[in-house]
Amino acid sequence: MKISEIYTNHKKSLSFEIFPPKKDSELENIDETLAVLCRLNPNYISVTFGAGGSANCNRTIELAKKIKREYHVEPVVHLTCLHYDRAEIDEFADRLADAGLQNILALRGDKKPDVMEKGDFKHASDLISYMKPKGDFCFLGACYPECHPESDNRINEIKHLKMKVNAGAEVLLSQLFFDNEQFFRFQEDCRIAEINVPLIPGIMPVINASQIKRMITMCGAAFPVRFQKIIDKYGNNRAALFDAGMSYALSQIIDLLVSDTCGIHLYTMNNPIVAGKICEGICNII
């Protein structure tokens, strides 16, 4: 099933993001996490782009196949392009089509000083335009409510996002954020720019202070005052931070849902306890 079909009847979606284990031998150990997540009846699960180089040994594809075949949940395969050439992307497209994997989150990928950029694809929009004629794929795109860290300004950010949608992105998944007003402003900017595809907010519960600070440094998300108080007060108390962080995430999610967002995308960090508690809190409103 194409992910875009979920939203044709204005249905709200629940989706999760997981990442592949670092070792092939650990693929089996992820079953515990998948069993819990899939009992929560998500509309889809996105799988981040794992290490592994070529399509033949990429753990993202193997994990996506497992989700679809064994758990009967639609996977979304992350695919980066900055460090791949056309022939390599062709190989990925063939592997995805052969496995019946239709849904792709098209990403540029992070720049890495020790990895050569191939030059064939400079933006996610380039990847979408190139792959669109090659199969019956549904493309999702990433969006950044507080702007991509490399963006010059919000105007250019929206302009590039519009290019991504014009290239064929049918659904947009947002980077994590902790201030809903940032998302609502971004949502309005998209409407003004006539970006009319579903915008799905991405939420990450705060359960580990050092981890979340690293994530914020990487993606540029702002600390609201209320969020900063949680980190300051409970950063050294693991149990208290877990409870306070879950409460904060639930308040974010409920606010987003009652404000008519199209759904929620939860960054689980492969933690089924987090996903389960969030779903308990919103089971009657989504």
Side-chain angles (χ1 to χ4, degrees):
M1 182 191 72
K2 293 184 177 181
I3 298 306
S4 56
E5 295 173 6
I6 294 169
Y7 304 102
T8 55
N9 295 317
H10 305 288
K11 180 180 178 181
K12 290 185 183 294
S13 66
L14 173 65
S15 55
F16 302 130
E17 178 178 293
I18 64 172
F19 54 85
K22 292 183 178 179
K23 299 178 181 179
D24 288 333
S25 60
E26 296 173 350
L27 270 174
E28 293 182 4
N29 297 334
I30 204 166
D31 278 306
E32 181 182 354
T33 296
L34 287 175
V36 173
L37 295 183
C38 293
R39 281 200 298 270
L40 300 170
N41 297 315
N43 296 96
Y44 52 96
I45 296 176
S46 74
V47 186
T48 64
F49 196 71
S54 73
N56 287 323
C57 61
N58 190 275
R59 299 186 188 102
T60 297
I61 294 175
E62 293 308 308
L63 183 52
K65 287 161 61 177
K66 184 181 188 73
I67 292 168
K68 188 177 182 73
R69 294 175 180 175
E70 298 181 23
Y71 294 92
H72 310 292
V73 173
E74 196 63 41
V76 173
V77 176
H78 293 214
L79 181 58
T80 66
C81 62
L82 193 62
H83 304 107
Y84 293 95
D85 59 28
R86 290 183 177 88
E88 291 169 311
I89 292 299
D90 288 345
E91 186 182 3
F92 278 111
D94 290 341
R95 285 291 309 280
L96 293 169
D98 290 345
L101 301 173
Q102 289 183 289
N103 299 291
I104 299 170
L105 177 58
L107 302 163
R108 184 198 71 176
D110 295 331
K111 294 186 176 183
K112 301 175 182 178
D114 56 336
V115 181
M116 183 181 69
E117 298 174 16
K118 295 295 180 70
D120 285 355
F121 306 98
K122 294 185 177 180
H123 306 285
S125 55
D126 299 331
L127 176 64
I128 296 171
S129 297
Y130 180 75
M131 287 189 70
K132 199 166 180 61
K134 294 184 175 295
D136 190 23
F137 297 121
C138 172
F139 293 97
L140 294 80
C143 60
Y144 300 81
E146 298 172 75
C147 289
H148 189 280
E150 296 176 23
S151 278
D152 297 326
N153 53 58
R154 182 171 287 271
I155 293 173
N156 284 338
E157 177 78 16
I158 296 296
K159 186 184 298 182
H160 290 141
L161 188 60
K162 178 75 169 176
M163 290 172 58
K164 193 182 297 186
V165 171
N166 288 344
E170 299 178 59
V171 178
L172 297 173
L173 300 181
S174 95
Q175 180 60 270
L176 64 89
F177 59 91
F178 301 101
D179 183 352
N180 284 3
E181 290 305 314
Q182 295 277 1
F183 181 81
F184 294 140
R185 283 195 290 271
F186 170 74
Q187 196 174 43
E188 183 60 25
D189 288 343
C190 288
R191 288 197 187 103
I192 292 170
E194 297 184 340
I195 297 173
N196 297 316
V197 301
L199 299 176
I200 313 302
I203 299 297
M204 178 184 283
V206 182
I207 59 171
N208 181 303
S210 60
Q211 178 188 65
I212 210 68
K213 287 177 180 177
R214 285 197 302 272
M215 291 297 295
I216 290 170
T217 300
M218 290 170 60
C219 71
F223 276 119
V225 173
R226 188 162 66 99
F227 179 88
Q228 182 65 59
K229 287 180 179 179
I230 289 175
I231 298 295
D232 292 343
K233 188 171 182 64
Y234 301 118
N236 295 320
N237 185 328
R238 191 177 185 87
L241 178 59
F242 183 93
D243 288 343
M246 293 300 292
S247 295
Y248 187 92
L250 275 169
S251 69
Q252 266 195 284
I253 290 169
I254 291 169
D255 182 39
L256 290 162
L257 290 174
V258 299
S259 300
D260 294 326
T261 56
C262 296
I264 296 295
H265 189 62
L266 189 66
Y267 294 99
T268 68
M269 302 306 290
N270 287 22
N271 188 326
I273 296 173
V274 168
K277 287 188 174 295
I278 290 291
C279 291
E280 285 175 13
I282 63 172
C283 63
N284 293 319
I285 59 174
I286 196 168

